[in-house]
Amino acid sequence: MLTCKQLVALSSDLLDAQLSGRQRLAVQVHLMMCGRCRRFVRQMRLSQQLLRVWPEPVNPDTQALAERLAAMRRERR
């Protein structure tokens, strides 16, 4: 049986339908047994759906600001 950590590592492939049959079965078995991972996968699916319908930024300055803030955050680490 998969551990929660292994399921999280496979979650992106799960959401993108990129798992092999054996991996998919292992994930399904784990999800039947683990409520926390079921909730995690539900939240990931919801996030994926929201990002698909999220509007693109209207103001190009917003993207530049986001990039500057990300660069500043990296510098502080």
Side-chain angles (χ1 to χ4, degrees):
M1 185 164 132
L2 291 177
T3 65
C4 295
K5 187 175 183 176
Q6 290 169 322
L7 183 124
V8 169
L10 292 172
S11 64
S12 291
D13 289 337
L14 171 67
L15 295 175
D16 294 336
Q18 299 291 321
L19 295 178
S20 68
R22 180 177 282 175
Q23 288 173 319
R24 193 170 41 255
L25 180 61
V27 166
Q28 289 172 347
V29 168
H30 183 88
L31 290 175
M32 284 191 292
M33 306 298 278
C34 184
R36 286 183 282 170
C37 286
R38 280 194 305 271
R39 186 175 26 237
F40 171 76
V41 170
R42 268 196 316 269
Q43 290 170 342
M44 292 292 290
R45 284 190 174 124
L46 178 60
S47 296
Q48 188 180 49
Q49 291 168 356
L50 287 173
L51 288 172
R52 285 184 181 144
V53 298
W54 198 270
E56 290 294 322
V58 177
N59 186 346
D61 292 335
T62 304
Q63 183 63 31
L65 175 60
E67 289 170 4
R68 280 189 304 215
L69 290 172
M72 289 171 59
R73 184 175 181 199
R74 284 191 298 270
E75 289 173 5
R76 289 185 185 171
R77 288 184 186 177

